[in-house]
Amino acid sequence: MTRLPPLHPAVAATRSAVRPLLAEAARGGVLVALSGGADSLALAAAVAFEAPKLQCPAGAIVIDHGLQPGSAEVADRAARTAGAFGLAPVAVHRVDVESAHPDGPEAAARAARYEALEELRVRFEAELILTAHTRDDQAEQVLLALARGSGTRAISGIPPRRGRIARPFLDVSRETTLAACAAQGLVPWDDPQNHDPRFTRVRVRERLIPELIAELGESIPANLARSASLAREDADALDTIAQTLTMRLARLGDCPDGGGPGCTRLPVTELAAQPHAIRNRILRRVATAVFGQQQTREHTLSIAALVHDWRGQGPIHAPGGNVSRVNGELHFHSN
């Protein structure tokens, strides 16, 4: 009897990571977001191997951002590889990236990419889109959030699930995806932009994290990813509590201060009894909903001062509206 060669540990790790999602999505199937890089190539290979065993339809989508010379050829090569794996359907989709996006070219490309992925998911009636974000991507995200002075939600990093987007490799290292490709004879595409120091994320990946590893040890990426998981647990719990309290406390209707119809009111006494983390979430949630715009930390704290540092000050002006304290209530008026 011929013995099969042992399965490479990196290949085994990638296949194990995708199984739960493939089992979950077996009825509608999955589409792999494939760039041709090592991470998404390892993901596509793992899905192609495991999906038939779980009777899960599996295809691939290649997004061509058109930002580099030869991008169409790179996209076509990735699509041919997906077809050779046996994935179907396989689609190449060209997107137009907004050149003047307020958050820069990376954010513009990401927005265009996710919009196209959802459009194609609906067209092909797939259950989930799988992306190949790794533990190293998670570590980079946490460091960037810390550098920006972000809160718990941002420090929780890249979520394993968001809507129909699932990320099975968040516990898999980039070293593992590279090793999985090598073990299977796959030659990934190396995106030149992944080495362009003009991008903050590249500097974090190629300069900051290697320096942290050199000074603090090899476990830095794993530790940062674990911090993200812990922060996500806390953020989820706090958000749930804040949402429940918001639904109980918020009152809609005319405000006695002449704000007119559509005014939203919150009782000051009950807000004051809440910890800062809960109170600020309630205030930010209500202000964002009423004003139709996201509120900064500074605006949220200014509104919170109407609760815990009331000295008779006038309305707080925030993006999209204003908040005043009247007769023991906060009144939220949109512009």
Side-chain angles (χ1 to χ4, degrees):
M1 177 174 166
T2 304
R3 296 178 63 87
L4 294 174
L7 183 63
H8 192 284
V11 177
T14 60
R15 293 176 180 177
S16 295
V18 303
R19 284 182 200 132
L21 286 172
L22 295 178
E24 175 187 334
R27 174 172 296 183
V30 301
L31 294 168
V32 176
L34 178 62
S35 69
D39 300 337
S40 66
L41 199 58
L43 176 60
V47 168
F49 183 85
E50 294 291 336
K53 296 191 295 183
L54 295 166
Q55 297 183 323
C56 177
I61 299 172
V62 184
I63 302 297
D64 177 10
H65 299 88
L67 297 176
Q68 303 177 57
S71 64
E73 289 78 7
V74 171
D76 287 341
R77 185 164 59 249
R80 289 195 301 271
T81 300
F85 286 162
L87 296 175
V90 176
V92 176
H93 188 85
R94 175 72 178 263
V95 296
D96 294 321
V97 178
E98 181 184 348
S99 59
H101 195 283
D103 296 324
E106 286 182 290
R110 181 169 58 251
R113 179 168 62 253
Y114 279 110
E115 182 178 349
L117 289 173
E118 175 58 16
E119 176 187 325
L120 291 164
R121 185 196 67 78
V122 172
R123 181 190 306 175
F124 293 123
E125 300 181 335
E127 184 76 15
L128 293 174
I129 297 285
L130 305 185
T131 72
H133 293 89
T134 66
R135 188 177 67 190
D136 298 80
D137 294 311
Q138 187 73 289
E140 295 161 14
Q141 189 75 8
V142 173
L143 282 178
L144 287 168
L146 289 170
R148 294 173 183 137
S150 302
T152 310
R153 174 56 65 193
I155 294 170
S156 69
I158 306 168
R161 290 284 292 269
R162 177 175 287 158
R164 299 289 186 163
I165 301 292
R167 303 176 174 95
F169 277 5
L170 283 181
D171 290 325
V172 176
S173 70
R174 187 170 295 132
E175 181 183 11
T176 298
T177 63
L178 285 166
C181 286
Q184 297 171 95
L186 304 175
V187 181
W189 172 60
D190 190 13
D191 186 350
Q193 289 192 341
N194 287 338
H195 307 285
D196 189 340
R198 291 178 300 174
F199 297 111
T200 303
R201 187 175 292 275
V202 171
R203 297 195 298 274
V204 170
R205 179 184 305 134
E206 297 198 341
R207 298 177 185 176
L208 181 56
I209 288 184
E211 186 68 21
L212 289 172
I213 290 174
E215 295 295 332
L216 301 176
E218 294 287 337
S219 61
I220 283 295
N223 291 345
L224 288 169
R226 183 167 63 251
S227 293
S229 295
L230 293 170
R232 188 177 307 110
E233 291 176 1
D234 290 349
D236 288 346
L238 292 170
D239 286 348
T240 298
I241 295 170
Q243 180 179 11
T244 301
L245 286 171
T246 300
M247 294 175 65
R248 181 169 67 84
L249 298 178
R251 305 185 182 101
L252 302 177
D254 295 348
C255 283
D257 59 348
C263 169
T264 299
R265 298 176 289 170
L266 289 172
V268 169
T269 300
E270 295 201 51
L271 287 172
Q274 302 303 321
H276 289 291
I278 300 297
R279 180 194 311 152
N280 291 344
R281 278 172 165 79
I282 295 173
L283 296 174
R284 185 165 56 249
R285 182 181 295 270
V286 171
T288 298
V290 174
F291 302 158
Q293 297 187 45
Q294 290 291 330
Q295 303 300 305
T296 66
R297 167 76 171 171
E298 289 71 23
H299 287 116
T300 302
L301 292 178
S302 295
I303 297 170
L306 295 176
V307 176
H308 65 79
D309 192 22
W310 170 245
R311 302 185 307 277
Q313 61 264 42
I316 301 299
H317 297 284
N322 62 80
V323 186
S324 56
R325 174 166 169 163
V326 181
N327 297 329
E329 293 181 325
L330 296 189
H331 294 179
F332 293 74
H333 305 288
S334 61
N335 290 337

